[in-house]
Amino acid sequence: MATPPPCKSLGSQCRELRLTFRIAELDEDDAEFHDHLGTWLLGHTERITFGRPYVGNRRLLVDGTVHVGCKYLRDADGQGAPGRPAGNAPARVRCEAHGFSGIIPAESHPARRALQHGNGQYTIVQDGRVQMLTLAASPSPRHSLPTLQPENPCTGAPCRTADNTRGTACCRDLTAEVVMQENHGETEALLRSRTPPYVCKVTLASEDILECEMISACGYLAGDDLSCSLHGLERRGGGAAKPSICSDWPAVDPDSEYHPGCRLIPVAR
């Protein structure tokens, strides 16, 4: 078992974790791509509440709260993770790692920022800022012939996130880059103590960056929980609204062993 975090008492870290995420290095790629990366990251709102992007140390950063509890948290009798108390009342809990016991606030929930507002309006990252914009449909090429819309290649794909939720796994999980602050060891230990699989596979990517996998579905999923609501829309001044990181898939060749259009799911042979 991994070393528990060096907690001194029960506290907010038992229920959630405040972190700083790296969106991009300003010296790498261009501002348009940074907007795409910001839109992609800040779209994953199911279990993360994000603040506003800002610049620090030549990086585009954003602070956020990950609403995933500690894996050492138990109910007062030590019988597994505590349930949600009636009426959102404080819960009596126990820390399996340190033996602390007491009452802490009820399970928190992300304050999900609305990303889809209807009438063609969406909240995205544009010019390095979170903005609500009216997005237009991409124009069809001149003299193009009418064609049937192809079926969404994700329809029927047998992909699953690690919590066994089936479908559009690439829109429900993400690899995040967490910036370690002054107390590197404490940040890493607290991150590693989150409940898997909602936060897992924590690795040291560089001197001050931790990579980890999270399950936090994208807020741009359409009502069918399969389609991307940004697909086929343009940003102000042109250019796709849908983040390029969501669109750059490998070409399917005759020897491909993957579901069409997807690098994640092997096709049964």
Side-chain angles (χ1 to χ4, degrees), residues 7-267:
C7 302
K8 303 300 182 183
S9 64
L10 298 174
S12 61
Q13 78 279 2
C14 301
R15 294 292 197 190
E16 61 192 21
L17 195 57
R18 294 178 178 84
L19 299 168
T20 298
F21 296 89
R22 177 172 68 177
I23 298 174
E25 296 283 343
L26 295 182
D27 297 331
E28 297 176 4
D29 302 303
D30 56 22
E32 181 180 356
F33 186 60
H34 298 164
D35 285 343
H36 280 248
L37 289 176
T39 300
W40 169 80
L41 177 60
L42 273 64
H44 287 85
T45 56
E46 183 186 15
R47 291 185 177 87
I48 311 173
T49 299
F50 290 104
R52 301 275 176 172
Y54 62 94
V55 173
N57 296 325
R58 296 296 302 161
R59 288 170 168 170
L60 186 60
L61 306 171
V62 65
D63 296 329
T65 300
V66 177
H67 301 270
V68 177
C70 179
K71 64 184 177 183
Y72 298 109
L73 191 63
R74 299 288 183 267
D75 63 23
D77 298 323
Q79 300 299 314
R84 187 176 302 156
N88 240 19
R92 181 167 291 279
V93 297
R94 180 177 182 277
C95 173
E96 186 181 57
H98 298 292
F100 307 137
S101 62
I103 294 176
I104 61 174
E107 182 179 358
S108 63
H109 300 279
R112 298 187 71 171
R113 176 185 289 137
L115 302 177
Q116 306 180 51
H117 310 286
N119 297 320
Q121 292 188 313
Y122 297 83
T123 293
I124 63 173
V125 176
Q126 178 76 32
D127 302 325
R129 298 187 295 114
V130 175
Q131 303 186 52
M132 187 172 72
L133 300 174
T134 300
L135 304 177
S138 301
S140 300
R142 293 182 63 186
H143 309 302
S144 62
L145 295 174
T147 58
L148 294 175
Q149 293 296 318
E151 182 183 20
N152 188 326
C154 294
T155 301
C159 57
R160 295 176 184 268
T161 46
D163 64 349
N164 284 322
T165 300
R166 179 165 178 165
T168 54
C170 62
C171 302
R172 299 182 185 279
D173 59 14
L174 69 154
T175 298
E177 296 181 330
V178 175
V179 181
M180 292 187 290
Q181 304 300 330
E182 292 80 5
N183 194 337
H184 288 196
E186 183 175 351
T187 300
E188 183 173 357
L190 285 169
L191 191 59
R192 291 185 184 278
S193 75
R194 296 305 94 187
T195 301
Y198 301 103
V199 178
C200 62
K201 298 183 181 178
V202 179
T203 58
L204 186 63
S206 65
E207 183 177 313
D208 66 340
I209 295 292
L210 287 166
E211 283 188 355
C212 62
E213 293 185 11
M214 298 183 179
I215 298 177
S216 183
C218 181
Y220 295 112
L221 280 169
D224 60 1
D225 278 343
L226 181 69
S227 309
C228 175
S229 64
L230 295 179
H231 189 77
L233 300 180
E234 281 194 348
R235 291 170 174 265
R236 185 172 60 201
K242 184 175 181 177
S244 56
I245 191 174
C246 303
S247 305
D248 294 338
W249 298 105
V252 177
D253 57 60
D255 297 323
S256 173
E257 296 182 357
Y258 293 88
H259 184 79
C262 182
R263 70 179 77 189
L264 304 175
I265 306 302
V267 173

